[in-house]
Structure formats: structure tokens, C-alpha cells
Amino acid sequence: MSKQALAAGILRWTGFGAMQRLLFARRRVSIVVYHDPEPETLREHLAWYAKRYSFTTLDAVANALETGRWGDLPPYPLVVTFDDGHKENAKLAPIFREFGVRPTVYLCSQVVGTTRPYWWKTPAADSIGVESLKRVPDGERRRRLAEAGNDPDRETDSRQSLTWDEVLRLRDVVDYGAHTRTHPILLQCDDHRVTDEIALCKAELEEALGEPCRHFAFPNGDFSDREVDIIRRAGYRTARTIDPGWNGPNADPLRLKAVPVSDDASVDWLAVQVTGLTAWLRKRKGGADPMAPAASHGQPVPAA
């Protein structure tokens, strides 16, 4: 029996998931993080959520935090988010309508609408090592990728992201947030680049969408007080981390906690992940999923 199957079985047998929802999720906001799930997998996930949670939006959460009217949120409030703006997200609109969920999709403003690659999804990043690239200064990361044949600032022959036409067509079922211009690791950037990545992303998205951009998500979940201060000055209402946990009425709106969910998770494994246990263990172990199958250990959780 795999570690995942064993964990899912223990969860069902002990009732830990139901107890966790009652104790922590009933009056606190759960935020789940996806990247590029297959439509049928997402349908199964949303059906599971719909029986246990009430879908809400980041704007509703921001309103509750700003006004103090936490009771305006439904019981077991859940926000669904997607990072990056992957092209296959365009196929998910019918499922959002089916379940009445309005997710937030965080876009990289200089990747969406282009054929620039997501840098961690390139042969160069795979050969160098994605995790090692996250730990070097931003200029060195870009130089190494370019020297290995995948300059992240240059267009390629095929796209990985949504087009702007697709982004605009999805507006009736999704809200959009900012995920920086090019998805660097912000802690590895100098002050000038961090400010550009955060503030110019907001301005570029607002120009393209013709509406305010209110929400931000940290690439890879990495941030410090410097980034939070820039986000505050840029005028965002919320910023979402991938620090595991739930968000109550006293939550910092610029440090919202969330739980990453594997795009290909079975429903049983989803039930384990939404408890926050695997995210907490991953954080303690420096990013590796302690219960991932051995063959996937070389493939880290996508850069969020």
C-alpha cells in the first residue's frame, strides 16, 4: 500500500478530516491552490468540496476583513485559486459554471498573451534543477537558463499560457489577480526589480483587463516584510501565500494562508491535502512532499 493510500485510509478511519473541518474550517476561510489540472479531475474535486464547503470569493473575504463583518461569509467558506495562467485553464469555464464557483486566477503579466515560457517548465530548468535555480540571485537564474538554451525573456515556438482573448472570455466566471510580471523568486531580486514585478504587474493587468487588480499571490510562496510593504503601497487588497492554514477574522489580508493541492490528486488524496498536513510537512522538510511517490521526488510542487 502506498503512503498516500495509507494516509487517506487513516484519515477516513479516524475522522480527522471531518474533525479538522469542524474545528478550523467552519468559521475560517480555506484557500486551495491549483495550477493546471485536467477538467475531469477538477470536476471531481469541486464535487467533493461542494458537499463539505461553501464556495466564496477573495473579494468577499477582503470585504469581511475590512468591515469586520465576518458573519457575512457562509459557513465553511472556501476560495479556489489558480496560479500562473496556464493555457489549459481555458477549458475549465464550464466546470466553474456547473458548480457555481468563481475562482481567482493569478496571472504573470509578461507571460500571458505571449509565447514566453514559464521558466521552470523548460528543458533548461529541468537539466539545471528547478530547486537550485530558486536559490540563486535572479540575474544568475536568468543567465543560467539563457546559457542552457531557454532564455525566459524570449518568445518560443509554442505557448504555455492563456492568450489575452481567452483571459477576456473567462471574465464572466473568474476573477484575476497578479502573480508578478515574469514569476521570479522575489527574495532573490533586488529592490528595483521586486517593485517592478509587483507594481507594474498590477498596472499591466489593469490596462489589459480594464478593471482594478486587487489580489496578489507570491511566486513559490516566498516573501518577506519587504514584499508585503511593496504590495501594500501598490494598493492590493489581499496577498496569498502558500503557508498552510486557515484565515480567521484577524488574519493579515496581505499574508493569507492557503493549501496547495496536487493537480492530479485522487479524491482520497485531496481529502488528505486539504487538512493542511502534507503542506505543513512539506514546509518543515524544505519543499519536498514527504508522501509523494518515489518517482515524483525529482518533480517538486510547481512554482506557485
Side-chain angles (χ1 to χ4, degrees), residues 57-64 104 175 214-215 237:
T57 65
L58 273 181
D59 277 331
V61 174
N63 288 340
T104 295
D175 294 322
R214 304 180 179 92
H215 308 290
R237 297 181 77 189

Side-chain angles (χ1 to χ4, degrees), residues 170-192:
L170 286 168
R171 283 197 300 183
D172 66 323
V173 289
V174 307
D175 294 322
Y176 290 111
H179 202 38
T180 71
R181 305 178 82 207
T182 63
H183 205 296
I185 304 302
L186 292 175
L187 295 182
Q188 302 295 347
C189 297
D190 62 30
D191 292 349
H192 177 75

Side-chain angles (χ1 to χ4, degrees), residues 21 47-54 75-76:
R21 286 192 298 275
W48 187 89
Y49 294 135
K51 294 177 181 178
R52 296 162 176 83
Y53 296 88
S54 300
Y76 301 99

Side-chain angles (χ1 to χ4, degrees), residues 170-231:
L170 286 168
R171 283 197 300 183
D172 66 323
V173 289
V174 307
D175 294 322
Y176 290 111
H179 202 38
T180 71
R181 305 178 82 207
T182 63
H183 205 296
I185 304 302
L186 292 175
L187 295 182
Q188 302 295 347
C189 297
D190 62 30
D191 292 349
H192 177 75
R193 186 164 181 85
V194 167
T195 300
D196 280 355
E197 289 284 343
I198 292 172
L200 287 184
C201 180
K202 186 177 193 293
E204 289 167 351
L205 291 177
E206 289 178 340
E207 180 178 2
L209 297 170
E211 61 188 29
C213 179
R214 304 180 179 92
H215 308 290
F216 183 87
F218 296 100
N220 204 54
D222 294 341
F223 69 97
S224 68
D225 289 345
R226 178 187 65 167
E227 285 72 39
V228 172
D229 183 59
I230 294 170
I231 288 166

Side-chain angles (χ1 to χ4, degrees), residues 233-264:
R233 287 189 277 114
Y236 291 98
R237 297 181 77 189
T238 73
R240 196 218 68 212
T241 73
I242 53 171
D243 291 347
W246 299 266
N247 304 282
N250 297 317
D252 183 341
L254 301 186
R255 292 179 173 88
L256 293 177
K257 298 181 184 300
V259 176
V261 174
S262 301
D263 286 342
D264 60 352

Side-chain angles (χ1 to χ4, degrees), residues 125-144:
D126 189 52
S127 65
I128 298 169
V130 172
E131 294 304 309
S132 66
L133 287 168
K134 293 177 184 179
R135 295 191 291 268
V136 299
D138 188 63
E140 182 177 348
R141 172 186 65 84
R142 291 155 60 203
R143 177 184 59 77
R144 288 187 186 183

